Amino acid sequence: MLKNSFLYKIGNKTKLAKYLGITRKELLNLCNDDLYKVHNEPKHNGTGTRTIEAPAKQLKSIQRKLNKELQKLETPLYLFSGIKGKCFIDNALVHVQNKYILCVDIHSFYPSTDSKKVLQFYKYYLEIPNDIAKILMELTTFEGHLPTGAPTSVILAYFAYARTFDDIYKKAQELNIDMSVYIDDITFSSQKPIPKSFYNFVEKRMKQQGLTLKKNKTRWYKPDDFKIITGHGISAKNEGKVPLKNILKIKAIMQGKNIKELSYKDLVSLKGALVVAQRIEPKFYNTLFKRVCILINNWKIQKF
């Protein structure tokens, strides 16, 4: 799988620039933190804001090409983020039939992922010379960490800590515990209660890498509990349910308005939120979904 990626053992700046469709000079000029715009935007659930570190158009285009090559690298079955064809729902379905579930969340995962970790991935995993690896690191990091708005950050967040995730997975397997990873969310499940000692092991391994777990996001679920795994609700009867968080997101987009009053951008956002919800509950807000689709189509017809 390594050989499938153009990045494997690449050792020439000119060759790298040519693949990316730019000149060698442009390649070096793109290694610049000034090409990011930092801003805050409201969270989808309407509570608080999140910081977005957005790369400039040309840099983002280059990052997309790099991400395409990173996608060609082999990843473990337990990883569900940054992988084409996988999503947060697939991540949750791994655990549906298990009785006991433990969900943990890595605190500030992107800001905590040091650029040195990314450099080591390029150097030692992809066997790239230091000078080229440093260029790739600079193209995919911002102010010494992974940027929240870069296309490459999702998959690089895994590769930066692949050995740590593998160690945790190996320990989980020894205890007959299923494991899945979706960006900063790690989920464990079993037919038997998950030992606190296992959680302590996970926490310790994270701390060894300079990462911490969010105490307020840690969830221990028992068989009769309603469970939420990466936005996917699961009832005590193992039935998929749209969580309150997703419903609040839909309501936040509508802002109490009639759907005819929504802008095209809001309609598209609403449709996206409903599509996600219907993957969990197929008939969820089905009438609203149909009306939104009609309004979007009408808008397109009027424009063209």
Side-chain angles (χ1 to χ4, degrees):
M1 290 292 287
L2 277 173
K3 294 181 180 179
N4 291 337
S5 174
F6 174 82
L7 295 175
Y8 179 58
K9 287 188 176 182
I10 188 167
N12 185 290
K13 295 184 183 72
T14 303
K15 187 177 180 181
L16 175 60
K18 184 177 180 180
Y19 171 78
L20 295 174
I22 56 179
T23 65
R24 181 169 168 152
K25 183 178 179 180
E26 286 175 319
L27 175 67
L28 298 177
N29 288 340
L30 286 171
C31 299
N32 191 336
D33 284 346
D34 291 338
L35 295 175
Y36 284 84
K37 182 178 180 180
V38 181
H39 65 279
N40 293 322
E41 66 177 31
K43 291 183 178 180
H44 292 308
N45 59 11
T47 60
T49 61
R50 60 174 181 168
T51 300
I52 303 297
E53 298 155 335
K57 185 177 180 179
Q58 186 182 20
L59 176 57
K60 191 170 186 177
S61 175
I62 295 302
Q63 290 171 343
R64 287 197 181 103
K65 291 181 180 180
L66 293 174
N67 190 52
K68 183 179 179 180
E69 293 303 312
L70 293 171
Q71 287 274 335
K72 296 176 182 179
L73 302 175
E74 186 174 6
T75 52
L77 293 176
Y78 65 73
L79 182 67
F80 287 83
S81 52
I83 308 298
K84 188 176 181 179
K86 290 185 177 183
C87 71
F88 71 96
I89 294 175
D90 300 310
N91 176 76
L93 292 177
V94 171
H95 309 281
V96 167
Q97 298 303 321
N98 282 333
K99 296 179 179 179
Y100 298 88
I101 295 174
L102 167 63
C103 299
V104 300
D105 189 300
I106 302 173
H107 178 67
S108 299
F109 195 21
Y110 287 175
S112 298
T113 302
D114 193 287
S115 57
K116 292 179 182 178
K117 292 283 185 183
V118 179
L119 178 64
Q120 289 173 355
F121 159 69
Y122 288 129
K123 285 180 63 175
Y124 302 116
Y125 187 79
L126 292 180
E127 300 181 39
I128 298 173
N130 186 67
D131 59 333
I132 308 297
K134 188 175 180 181
I135 289 174
L136 288 167
M137 177 200 73
E138 291 174 342
L139 288 173
T140 52
T141 60
F142 169 69
E143 294 187 347
H145 64 267
L146 286 179
T148 55
T152 45
S153 290
V154 177
I155 194 69
L156 285 176
Y158 162 72
F159 280 122
Y161 299 98
R163 183 173 296 180
T164 299
F165 285 123
D166 284 347
D167 287 348
I168 294 172
Y169 179 73
K170 182 179 179 181
K171 184 69 173 180
Q173 290 291 289
E174 292 174 0
L175 298 172
N176 293 317
I177 295 173
D178 291 325
M179 167 181 157
S180 67
V181 174
Y182 190 81
I183 311 179
D184 55 357
D185 292 303
I186 314 175
T187 307
F188 306 98
S189 65
S190 179
Q191 288 295 323
K192 298 180 180 180
I194 298 173
K196 182 65 184 299
S197 58
F198 176 71
Y199 171 83
N200 293 337
F201 170 80
V202 174
E203 186 177 41
K204 182 179 179 181
R205 285 296 286 116
M206 289 296 170
K207 283 185 177 180
Q208 288 172 346
Q209 296 300 316
L211 301 173
T212 58
L213 301 179
K214 291 181 182 177
K215 297 292 184 181
N216 64 331
K217 289 287 189 74
T218 299
R219 296 287 184 270
W220 296 81
Y221 293 113
K222 296 179 181 179
D224 293 333
D225 292 336
F226 180 84
K227 311 165 186 69
I228 298 178
I229 305 173
T230 53
H232 188 299
I234 302 173
S235 71
K237 295 181 181 180
N238 292 331
E239 297 173 337
K241 295 292 180 182
V242 178
L244 178 61
K245 179 180 178 180
N246 297 62
I247 297 173
L248 291 175
K249 176 181 177 180
I250 292 170
K251 291 184 176 180
I253 295 171
M254 295 189 68
Q255 299 176 348
K257 299 178 182 178
N258 184 292
I259 60 170
K260 291 182 179 180
E261 300 174 313
L262 297 178
S263 67
Y264 177 75
K265 182 179 178 181
D266 286 338
L267 285 171
V268 172
S269 295
L270 181 56
K271 180 182 177 181
L274 289 169
V275 167
V276 170
Q278 288 187 346
R279 284 204 61 184
I280 301 173
E281 290 186 61
K283 295 183 179 181
F284 184 83
Y285 283 8
N286 201 39
T287 300
L288 176 62
F289 177 73
K290 290 179 180 179
R291 291 181 66 192
V292 169
C293 289
I294 290 172
L295 288 172
I296 289 175
N297 288 335
N298 288 344
W299 189 93
K300 291 178 178 178
I301 291 172
Q302 291 172 6
K303 185 174 181 180
F304 298 103

